[in-house]
Amino acid sequence: MRDTKSYTDSTNNCVKSEEEDVLMPTSDVTPNGLAKASCIKEKGVVLGGDILIIRANKQLAFGEFLSRYIRYKEQDVLRYVSGTTVFHLYSSSISKLKIALPELEEQQKIAHCLSSLDEVIGLESHKLDALKNLKKGLMQQLFPQEVA
């Protein structure tokens, strides 16, 4: 996803992103919400609070690959979640997660391939929505509602 969800005018004393930062929420009302890693591609984006920022060694890990890997290994991540009403994930806990990384070039190829597939899926989803709307319109024309 490449959309900006919110903006701020204040940048004083803010934590700003680096390219390829992996971001994860540190608290949520459902534990599954905590295993949702994403990769930010831009430097200098103001990051909100309550976010776990993973800045991996760029010689070893490609952020987009790492975020997808973490999402794929959701069940492993959930082992480190604590809490009962509000669930938390701490950096000290997530640092225990074992991650198998292929060579950097291979990570980049895998991440780019998956991104391309995401784009195709998005385009096909839009086409499907348009066809569903067309069908709905045709059904309304074919079977008009009777007025009592």
Side-chain angles (χ1 to χ4, degrees):
M1 178 183 296
R2 298 184 183 274
D3 300 331
T4 301
K5 297 296 181 188
S6 64
Y7 299 88
T8 182
D9 291 331
S10 175
T11 57
N12 296 337
N13 301 320
C14 293
V15 176
K16 295 183 181 178
S17 68
E18 295 292 329
E19 283 185 66
E20 300 296 320
D21 277 354
V22 175
L23 309 177
M24 296 176 69
T26 56
S27 62
D28 199 338
V29 293
T30 64
N32 290 357
L34 296 175
K36 306 300 184 217
S38 59
C39 178
I40 191 159
K41 299 294 214 165
E42 294 181 43
K43 182 178 181 175
V45 175
V46 175
L47 303 176
D50 207 25
I51 295 176
L52 174 62
I53 305 166
I54 301 171
R55 288 195 173 139
N57 180 334
K58 289 180 180 29
Q59 306 301 318
L60 300 175
F62 185 58
E64 188 176 342
F65 176 87
L66 185 57
S67 67
R68 288 177 182 278
Y69 185 91
I70 290 169
R71 290 178 76 99
Y72 178 73
K73 292 293 192 173
E74 177 178 339
Q75 293 306 311
D76 293 345
V77 173
L78 293 178
R79 284 189 258 162
Y80 299 108
V81 171
S82 61
T84 53
T85 305
V86 176
F87 298 91
H88 301 280
L89 182 63
Y90 298 103
S91 60
S92 58
S93 298
I94 197 70
S95 67
K96 298 173 189 171
L97 183 66
K98 298 209 184 295
I99 298 175
L101 294 174
E103 294 294 322
L104 188 62
E105 185 176 334
E106 187 73 13
Q107 293 175 48
Q108 292 168 335
K109 287 178 182 178
I110 291 168
H112 292 309
C113 177
L114 293 173
S115 291
S116 294
L117 288 172
D118 285 341
E119 287 179 31
V120 170
I121 290 168
L123 292 171
E124 294 300 322
S125 293
H126 288 299
K127 286 181 188 176
L128 180 60
D129 290 342
L131 288 171
K132 285 180 179 179
N133 286 333
L134 176 61
K135 178 185 174 188
K136 184 178 178 181
L138 290 172
M139 295 292 284
Q140 288 172 348
Q141 288 178 357
L142 290 170
F143 306 110
Q145 293 183 348
E146 294 180 24
V147 178

